């Protein structure tokens, strides 16, 4: 019966004083910030001995903005968890972590305080990166990049997308590929409409069906990836090569657009 559930909500510093009576009578649900939780624990106003569910909403923001407070709370939580579980002889509380992004802070929180965890990622792109992709970093000198690219292509026959940021690099890459017998298609801003983009991608698909022994290569510019994102969402790119890092300040957005090309292949 929802009418019998008591809830205590703390919205700002100092509000804890008003919540003492509510907590003393045994609140079923406590909603608060990490800062309020730490102050309640420090004042011995809050006990976690009967905690059943611990929920982090917008966890990526909490661990970024309140890193120290989250650490302090979880340190106390871990201690009380061990004591409470041993005394009460019951299962440990369930931890639910909701986040809009899979950040390093969220991953650290999960690894430190959860066991036998179930990860649910609703964004197909992030799920692909998390579960199905093998990422490889190849170190080389600037004048060795072309040789490294050729070496990879000669030993793989996948659907390959090569991402570039600068038009100045196009001539070097295309000359290298052509001189070594590789066929390729280029999608840049010289393609003016979505119809032209779809025709080029259809041609790319047909080439793959003609000869599976050679890599099917599509060269893409970051500006074109963003412009024709809807068309590119249907491609089945198996291998993505970052031949150049983005030359824009918003590298996170560019890399997200690049990885989106892999969604269909790694669902």
């Amino acid at each position: 019966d929802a009418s019998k559930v008591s809830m205590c909500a703390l919205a700002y510093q100092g509000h804890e004083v008003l919540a003492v009576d509510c907590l003393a009578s045994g609140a079923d649900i406590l909603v608060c910030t990490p800062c309020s939780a730490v102050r309640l624990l420090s004042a011995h106003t809050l006990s976690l001995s009967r905690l059943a569910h611990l929920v982090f909403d917008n966890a990526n923001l909490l661990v970024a903005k309140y890193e120290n407070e989250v650490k302090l709370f979880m340190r106390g939580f871990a201690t009380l968890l061990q004591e409470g579980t041993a005394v009460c002889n019951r299962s440990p509380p369930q931890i639910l972590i909701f986040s809009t992004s899979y950040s390093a802070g969220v991953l650290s929180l999960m690894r430190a305080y959860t066991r036998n965890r179930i990860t649910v990622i609703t964004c197909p792109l992030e799920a692909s990166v998390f579960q199905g992709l093998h990422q490889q970093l190849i170190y080389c000198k600037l004048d060795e990049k072309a040789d490294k690219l050729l070496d990879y292509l000669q030993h793989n026959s996948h659907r390959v997308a090569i991402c570039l940021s600068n038009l100045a690099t196009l001539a070097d890459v295309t000359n290298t590929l052509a001189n070594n017998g590789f066929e390729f298609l280029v999608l840049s801003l010289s393609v003016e409409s979505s119809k032209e983009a779809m025709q080029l991608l259809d041609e790319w698909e047909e080439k793959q069906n003609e000869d599976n022994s050679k890599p099917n290569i599509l060269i893409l510019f970051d500006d074109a990836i963003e412009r024709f994102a809807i068309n590119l969402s249907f491609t089945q790119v198996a291998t993505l090569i970052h031949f150049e890092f983005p030359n824009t300040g918003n590298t996170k957005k560019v890399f997200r657009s690049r990885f989106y090309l892999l969604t269909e292949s790694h669902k």
Side-chain angles (χ1 to χ4, degrees), residues 159 198 201 204-205 228-237 260-261 264:
R159 297 169 182 256
M198 284 303 300
L201 294 173
W204 187 65
E205 294 285 342
F228 300 112
I230 295 178
N231 307 96
L232 291 168
S233 64
F234 299 102
T235 61
Q236 292 188 349
V237 175
Y260 190 68
L261 300 170
E264 287 296 316

Side-chain angles (χ1 to χ4, degrees), residues 60-244:
N60 56 307
L61 300 180
L62 293 180
V63 297
K65 189 174 182 179
Y66 304 105
E67 180 181 0
N68 292 332
E69 288 80 3
V70 170
K71 286 182 178 179
L72 287 172
F73 177 80
M74 294 306 291
R75 197 174 299 156
F77 169 77
T79 302
L80 292 171
L81 176 62
Q82 293 173 356
E83 295 175 353
T85 302
V87 173
C88 301
N89 192 27
R90 63 180 179 84
S91 299
Q94 181 184 42
I95 301 179
L96 304 175
I97 301 174
F98 296 91
S99 177
T100 56
S101 65
Y102 197 72
S103 66
V106 172
L107 180 60
S108 177
L109 180 66
M110 291 172 55
R111 288 176 173 172
Y113 299 103
T114 63
R115 294 180 179 177
N116 302 319
R117 55 185 173 269
I118 298 175
T119 303
V120 179
I121 301 177
T122 57
C123 173
L125 170 60
E126 293 197 6
S128 298
V129 174
F130 175 77
Q131 184 65 31
L133 300 185
H134 171 69
Q135 299 190 60
Q136 181 180 7
L137 181 62
I138 300 176
Y139 292 95
C140 65
K141 296 179 180 179
L142 187 61
D143 57 0
E144 296 175 344
K145 288 177 65 175
D147 292 335
K148 293 290 185 180
L149 176 63
L150 289 175
D151 182 64
Y152 178 85
L153 294 175
Q154 287 167 354
H155 294 88
N156 292 275
S157 58
H158 305 299
R159 297 169 182 256
V160 179
I162 302 174
C163 294
L164 305 177
S165 292
N166 302 294
L167 283 173
T169 312
L170 178 60
D172 294 334
V173 173
T174 54
N175 288 336
T176 298
L177 295 177
N179 292 336
N180 287 273
F182 290 103
E183 295 183 359
F184 52 87
L185 293 173
V186 180
L187 180 61
S188 66
L189 288 182
S190 61
V191 177
E192 297 181 353
S193 66
S194 295
K195 182 178 180 180
E196 288 183 64
M198 284 303 300
Q199 290 174 346
L200 185 143
L201 294 173
D202 287 342
E203 183 180 350
W204 187 65
E205 294 285 342
E206 292 174 3
K207 285 182 176 294
Q208 179 67 21
N209 296 329
E210 291 173 1
D211 188 355
N212 289 322
S213 64
K214 294 182 179 180
N216 193 17
I217 303 172
L218 181 64
I219 300 175
L220 296 158
F221 284 89
D222 291 325
D223 291 339
I225 293 176
E226 183 175 356
R227 180 174 179 179
F228 300 112
I230 295 178
N231 307 96
L232 291 168
S233 64
F234 299 102
T235 61
Q236 292 188 349
V237 175
T239 302
L240 183 65
I241 298 177
H242 303 286
F243 193 79
E244 286 184 311

